[in-house]
Amino acid sequence: MFGRVNLKEFISGSLRTRIILGVGIILLAVLGASSYFDVVTQVNRHIEENEKRAMEISDTVMKSIEYPMLDGEMEQVQAILERLGTLEDLEIVHLCDDMGIIKRNGTDRYDVNRKIVSKITLKAFSTGKLAQGIEKCRRNNIDIKILRSAIPVYNEKACYKCHGDEKPLLGVLSVGFSWEPIQETLVSVRNQNIIIAVISLTIVGFFLTLWLNRYIIRPIVRLTRIADEISHGRYVYIFEKFPRRYVRCWKLLNCNKTDCPAYENDTIPCWYVPDTLCFGEPSGKFPRKLDRCVACSVYQDHKGDEIVRLRDSFQHMLYKLISYEEDIKASEEKYRLLFNANPGPIFIIDQNNFQILDINERALHAYGYSREELVKMSFINLGHKPTGEVVAGFQELSAGQFGFFTKKRHVCKDGRSFYVNITVCPVKYMGTKALIVAITDITESIEKEAQLIQADKMTTIGTMASGIAHELNQPLNVIKIGSDFLLKMIKRGEKIGFEELKTVSEEISGHVDRASGVINHLQEFSRVSAAVQSPVDINRPIRDVFKVLGQQLRLHQVDVRLELAENLPTIMADHNRLEQVFINLVTNAVDAIDEKIEKMGPEVERSVTIRSFLQEDQVVVTVSDTGIGISSSVRERIFEPFFTTKGVGKGTGLGMSISYGIVHDYGGTFDIKSKEGVSTTFELRFPVHYHYQASEN
């Protein structure tokens, strides 16, 4: 096992080893096959030569004994066979009759009158044709191989007087040579061929190895080392040490186009240089330009072989890597400069878990955290009580989309809170799905907006002063009457009955609660409301409007109709600000009815209808009046700040503008439908709070 592991490591250890081993195996296979076929050819040739020799000797024997046999001189035949038996390597020479009995034997007299057992001789008897082959024969108690030839002796006319004409075959002459000398010759030939093959393999392998090492292995090893250096990022160092191959095309072509990018450029061959002017116009970039370069004599004469082209490709790759690295560095510096120079905080976060991946310098200053602290946090943790709107919005964004989230409250490290707008878009960052989140601090504008809204509230309260006074005077009058009654009864010394005392106390307590409720609601409405959103049932701020405007509507004899759907889903808003929106709408409705009365008389219909209902995952509120209506020119400007159709001192022109801003902040829409002289309807739509949607599903 150890030996096999080492062999495997040896084989896979280096390219040089694999190439030399592979070429060696191929050479060994080729030379081995060549030597094998050469040996086989020579063996067959030697066998054929010995078979031919056996045939020639057999033919000579037949011709030598033909006349003695015709004359019946068999002793002379024996003498001829015995003389032939003295030939080197001749082991068998005998003559047998038509019965297969050996009659004459030139190598062994004691073998005469013995029945033949040779298969080759028997084959010659049976077929009547020449038979040859190798077979074993026993000599001196030793089995040896011999190459035997058996030649049939035919009964010819000259033989009829002694043997008659009935027998076609008179006998068989067998001649056999020892196979051992032949085999030794064959072994010698084989060994000689093997030695020649080994020597040839060694010589060819040696010079082939030198050639491969110089022209293939060494350049590939050098390129491998260069690739290793490239993987470590040392592009510039390797490029400076890279063996240059100078192809000075401007000299070869006697070119004087000094504005050509390849002119006096020794960095890379000209066919890699983009926008060369060889053809009178910019040639484009590699490899597209190569279609034209292949016809150029410079390319044809200097393109080199595959190894040279591979080296040129490496050099070009290094050149491009250096260029790309410089471009990337410049781009990164530009990105980092823009990233850090942005006046607002910027975050790059993971789109899946909102983990902060990178931040600019402004974010560190704005939030008070260090870079190390922020990259360990989730972006959601920077927000104060983050809503599902932000989380769901971040997750649903896809490539090419942008998200915008307004008036979100964020918290610094020291606990200080501020309001921001969030702009977000999806990107690819370090191979992962990420989001670029830009933060805009709107705390100052929120504060100014709150002041403006507060001023509008005070204006609204001022215009409702008479109605509020009436709401307070009525319970005060009841309290005054009750207290005067009790004081008179005490001064007169009269006894107050239990039922009377109970009735007076209950009336006083009830009207105190009524007055307190009006005052508390005024305090609640007049407070400065924050921009923080929370789940709100929209029917509640609608009903609270009439705690403030109830008396004013009664004084103007306006009929109020509330058609509010029950169990509506909540929306994300602020109760106080929504109440201000509906107060503005109802107040404008009353003013529109008053204006209609002035123009058409007191007989006109005086009604305000407020409906709420659910439609396509939106909570819808409509405020309709039977007032004077709104012209198209006024509708186009109705949401402009300080625009008003009322007389001087009767309106600031901010009510509708502020109402529109509040509705828009809550993701809602504001639509107006009006017919001059007939009616006006304001339609408000708000998206359903996501918690409600989740519970429905």
Side-chain angles (χ1 to χ4, degrees), residues 288-313:
R288 184 172 61 86
K289 64 173 293 189
L290 198 60
D291 293 338
R292 304 176 71 179
C293 288
V294 293
C296 177
S297 60
V298 175
Y299 179 80
Q300 291 293 334
D301 296 339
H302 295 83
K303 63 181 179 179
D305 58 19
E306 288 79 1
I307 297 297
V308 172
R309 291 200 293 271
L310 179 61
R311 187 180 67 181
D312 287 346
S313 296

Tab-separated table of all heavy atoms in Angstrom, residues 288-313:
chain	number	residue	atom	x	y	z
A	288	ARG	N	-12.215	40.519	-30.996
A	288	ARG	CA	-12.957	40.843	-32.214
A	288	ARG	C	-12.027	41.305	-33.327
A	288	ARG	O	-12.230	40.984	-34.501
A	288	ARG	CB	-13.992	41.935	-31.900
A	288	ARG	CG	-14.895	42.280	-33.059
A	288	ARG	CD	-16.010	43.212	-32.612
A	288	ARG	NE	-15.476	44.457	-32.098
A	288	ARG	CZ	-15.162	45.510	-32.866
A	288	ARG	NH1	-15.305	45.423	-34.182
A	288	ARG	NH2	-14.699	46.620	-32.339
A	289	LYS	N	-10.979	42.047	-32.968
A	289	LYS	CA	-10.067	42.572	-33.975
A	289	LYS	C	-9.200	41.484	-34.599
A	289	LYS	O	-8.600	41.686	-35.652
A	289	LYS	CB	-9.177	43.655	-33.354
A	289	LYS	CG	-8.242	43.139	-32.256
A	289	LYS	CD	-7.263	44.206	-31.803
A	289	LYS	CE	-6.300	44.565	-32.884
A	289	LYS	NZ	-5.208	45.440	-32.440
A	290	LEU	N	-9.137	40.295	-33.956
A	290	LEU	CA	-8.262	39.230	-34.436
A	290	LEU	C	-8.674	38.734	-35.815
A	290	LEU	O	-7.853	38.234	-36.574
A	290	LEU	CB	-8.255	38.075	-33.434
A	290	LEU	CG	-7.099	37.082	-33.543
A	290	LEU	CD1	-5.771	37.785	-33.347
A	290	LEU	CD2	-7.252	35.965	-32.529
A	291	ASP	N	-9.961	38.906	-36.161
A	291	ASP	CA	-10.421	38.485	-37.488
A	291	ASP	C	-9.688	39.240	-38.597
A	291	ASP	O	-9.491	38.704	-39.699
A	291	ASP	CB	-11.933	38.721	-37.608
A	291	ASP	CG	-12.718	37.810	-36.683
A	291	ASP	OD1	-12.171	36.761	-36.299
A	291	ASP	OD2	-13.864	38.150	-36.331
A	292	ARG	N	-9.283	40.472	-38.310
A	292	ARG	CA	-8.557	41.258	-39.300
A	292	ARG	C	-7.051	41.075	-39.146
A	292	ARG	O	-6.309	41.154	-40.126
A	292	ARG	CB	-8.931	42.735	-39.165
A	292	ARG	CG	-10.440	42.981	-39.286
A	292	ARG	CD	-10.808	44.420	-39.062
A	292	ARG	NE	-10.387	45.276	-40.174
A	292	ARG	CZ	-10.617	46.597	-40.225
A	292	ARG	NH1	-11.267	47.179	-39.232
A	292	ARG	NH2	-10.194	47.306	-41.248
A	293	CYS	N	-6.600	40.827	-37.917
A	293	CYS	CA	-5.163	40.689	-37.671
A	293	CYS	C	-4.585	39.426	-38.305
A	293	CYS	O	-3.396	39.381	-38.624
A	293	CYS	CB	-4.880	40.695	-36.175
A	293	CYS	SG	-5.089	42.307	-35.386
A	294	VAL	N	-5.414	38.386	-38.464
A	294	VAL	CA	-4.887	37.122	-38.993
A	294	VAL	C	-4.360	37.281	-40.416
A	294	VAL	O	-3.538	36.487	-40.880
A	294	VAL	CB	-5.969	36.017	-38.952
A	294	VAL	CG1	-6.309	35.643	-37.536
A	294	VAL	CG2	-7.231	36.444	-39.715
A	295	ALA	N	-4.820	38.308	-41.103
A	295	ALA	CA	-4.340	38.534	-42.471
A	295	ALA	C	-3.078	39.385	-42.502
A	295	ALA	O	-2.503	39.595	-43.566
A	295	ALA	CB	-5.441	39.219	-43.292
A	296	CYS	N	-2.647	39.873	-41.335
A	296	CYS	CA	-1.475	40.756	-41.255
A	296	CYS	C	-0.198	39.918	-41.235
A	296	CYS	O	-0.126	38.875	-40.569
A	296	CYS	CB	-1.571	41.638	-40.016
A	296	CYS	SG	-0.142	42.706	-39.768
A	297	SER	N	0.837	40.383	-41.950
A	297	SER	CA	2.107	39.638	-42.004
A	297	SER	C	2.799	39.604	-40.649
A	297	SER	O	3.497	38.639	-40.317
A	297	SER	CB	3.029	40.277	-43.048
A	297	SER	OG	3.305	41.633	-42.710
A	298	VAL	N	2.611	40.643	-39.840
A	298	VAL	CA	3.230	40.668	-38.504
A	298	VAL	C	2.670	39.533	-37.653
A	298	VAL	O	3.418	38.804	-36.991
A	298	VAL	CB	2.987	42.036	-37.822
A	298	VAL	CG1	3.518	42.016	-36.387
A	298	VAL	CG2	3.645	43.147	-38.608
A	299	TYR	N	1.360	39.367	-37.694
A	299	TYR	CA	0.744	38.293	-36.920
A	299	TYR	C	1.159	36.927	-37.461
A	299	TYR	O	1.495	36.020	-36.688
A	299	TYR	CB	-0.774	38.435	-36.945
A	299	TYR	CG	-1.493	37.340	-36.195
A	299	TYR	CD1	-1.615	37.367	-34.812
A	299	TYR	CD2	-2.054	36.256	-36.879
A	299	TYR	CE1	-2.270	36.356	-34.126
A	299	TYR	CE2	-2.703	35.242	-36.205
A	299	TYR	CZ	-2.811	35.300	-34.820
A	299	TYR	OH	-3.450	34.289	-34.152
A	300	GLN	N	1.138	36.761	-38.781
A	300	GLN	CA	1.476	35.474	-39.384
A	300	GLN	C	2.915	35.059	-39.062
A	300	GLN	O	3.187	33.884	-38.814
A	300	GLN	CB	1.277	35.538	-40.904
A	300	GLN	CG	-0.174	35.649	-41.333
A	300	GLN	CD	-0.962	34.395	-41.019
A	300	GLN	OE1	-0.406	33.298	-40.940
A	300	GLN	NE2	-2.267	34.542	-40.813
A	301	ASP	N	3.837	36.037	-39.046
A	301	ASP	CA	5.249	35.720	-38.832
A	301	ASP	C	5.623	35.627	-37.360
A	301	ASP	O	6.657	35.020	-37.027
A	301	ASP	CB	6.135	36.785	-39.506
A	301	ASP	CG	5.967	36.785	-41.025
A	301	ASP	OD1	5.511	35.750	-41.563
A	301	ASP	OD2	6.268	37.817	-41.654
A	302	HIS	N	4.825	36.204	-36.459
A	302	HIS	CA	5.240	36.290	-35.062
A	302	HIS	C	4.217	35.716	-34.081
A	302	HIS	O	4.397	35.846	-32.875
A	302	HIS	CB	5.504	37.758	-34.684
A	302	HIS	CG	6.648	38.373	-35.418
A	302	HIS	ND1	6.515	38.900	-36.680
A	302	HIS	CD2	7.961	38.530	-35.076
A	302	HIS	CE1	7.678	39.372	-37.097
A	302	HIS	NE2	8.577	39.157	-36.148
A	303	LYS	N	3.178	35.081	-34.592
A	303	LYS	CA	2.190	34.536	-33.656
A	303	LYS	C	2.756	33.381	-32.839
A	303	LYS	O	2.343	33.134	-31.712
A	303	LYS	CB	0.936	34.082	-34.395
A	303	LYS	CG	1.173	32.934	-35.384
A	303	LYS	CD	-0.109	32.548	-36.095
A	303	LYS	CE	0.127	31.418	-37.096
A	303	LYS	NZ	-1.115	31.016	-37.789
A	304	GLY	N	3.745	32.639	-33.399
A	304	GLY	CA	4.393	31.561	-32.665
A	304	GLY	C	3.548	30.310	-32.569
A	304	GLY	O	2.422	30.233	-33.063
A	305	ASP	N	4.144	29.309	-31.902
A	305	ASP	CA	3.426	28.053	-31.720
A	305	ASP	C	2.464	28.167	-30.543
A	305	ASP	O	2.260	29.244	-29.970
A	305	ASP	CB	4.413	26.896	-31.516
A	305	ASP	CG	5.331	27.128	-30.319
A	305	ASP	OD1	4.988	27.960	-29.445
A	305	ASP	OD2	6.399	26.487	-30.256
A	306	GLU	N	1.882	27.007	-30.167
A	306	GLU	CA	0.881	27.016	-29.108
A	306	GLU	C	1.455	27.495	-27.776
A	306	GLU	O	0.788	28.233	-27.027
A	306	GLU	CB	0.276	25.610	-28.940
A	306	GLU	CG	-0.646	25.162	-30.056
A	306	GLU	CD	0.107	24.676	-31.272
A	306	GLU	OE1	1.359	24.677	-31.236
A	306	GLU	OE2	-0.538	24.305	-32.272
A	307	ILE	N	2.677	27.091	-27.448
A	307	ILE	CA	3.290	27.504	-26.189
A	307	ILE	C	3.558	29.004	-26.184
A	307	ILE	O	3.305	29.701	-25.191
A	307	ILE	CB	4.604	26.724	-25.933
A	307	ILE	CG1	4.302	25.220	-25.792
A	307	ILE	CG2	5.307	27.229	-24.690
A	307	ILE	CD1	3.436	24.874	-24.615
A	308	VAL	N	4.041	29.506	-27.306
A	308	VAL	CA	4.299	30.950	-27.415
A	308	VAL	C	2.987	31.722	-27.290
A	308	VAL	O	2.907	32.739	-26.592
A	308	VAL	CB	5.005	31.265	-28.748
A	308	VAL	CG1	5.095	32.778	-28.958
A	308	VAL	CG2	6.393	30.645	-28.775
A	309	ARG	N	1.942	31.223	-27.963
A	309	ARG	CA	0.652	31.910	-27.877
A	309	ARG	C	0.089	31.836	-26.467
A	309	ARG	O	-0.551	32.787	-25.998
A	309	ARG	CB	-0.326	31.301	-28.885
A	309	ARG	CG	0.047	31.608	-30.336
A	309	ARG	CD	-1.137	31.446	-31.266
A	309	ARG	NE	-1.565	30.063	-31.377
A	309	ARG	CZ	-1.095	29.195	-32.262
A	309	ARG	NH1	-0.137	29.577	-33.103
A	309	ARG	NH2	-1.545	27.970	-32.318
A	310	LEU	N	0.323	30.710	-25.780
A	310	LEU	CA	-0.110	30.597	-24.397
A	310	LEU	C	0.621	31.611	-23.520
A	310	LEU	O	0.009	32.267	-22.668
A	310	LEU	CB	0.124	29.168	-23.883
A	310	LEU	CG	-0.273	28.891	-22.428
A	310	LEU	CD1	-1.766	29.119	-22.225
A	310	LEU	CD2	0.089	27.456	-22.037
A	311	ARG	N	1.911	31.753	-23.735
A	311	ARG	CA	2.679	32.730	-22.961
A	311	ARG	C	2.200	34.153	-23.259
A	311	ARG	O	2.052	34.977	-22.348
A	311	ARG	CB	4.163	32.601	-23.288
A	311	ARG	CG	5.061	33.452	-22.408
A	311	ARG	CD	6.513	33.279	-22.780
A	311	ARG	NE	6.780	33.832	-24.107
A	311	ARG	CZ	7.981	33.789	-24.698
A	311	ARG	NH1	9.000	33.181	-24.092
A	311	ARG	NH2	8.154	34.318	-25.888
A	312	ASP	N	1.929	34.438	-24.543
A	312	ASP	CA	1.408	35.757	-24.898
A	312	ASP	C	0.055	36.005	-24.244
A	312	ASP	O	-0.247	37.122	-23.804
A	312	ASP	CB	1.272	35.879	-26.416
A	312	ASP	CG	2.627	36.007	-27.104
A	312	ASP	OD1	3.618	36.267	-26.386
A	312	ASP	OD2	2.693	35.825	-28.330
A	313	SER	N	-0.774	34.948	-24.192
A	313	SER	CA	-2.087	35.088	-23.553
A	313	SER	C	-1.939	35.392	-22.072
A	313	SER	O	-2.678	36.221	-21.514
A	313	SER	CB	-2.909	33.807	-23.748
A	313	SER	OG	-3.178	33.579	-25.111
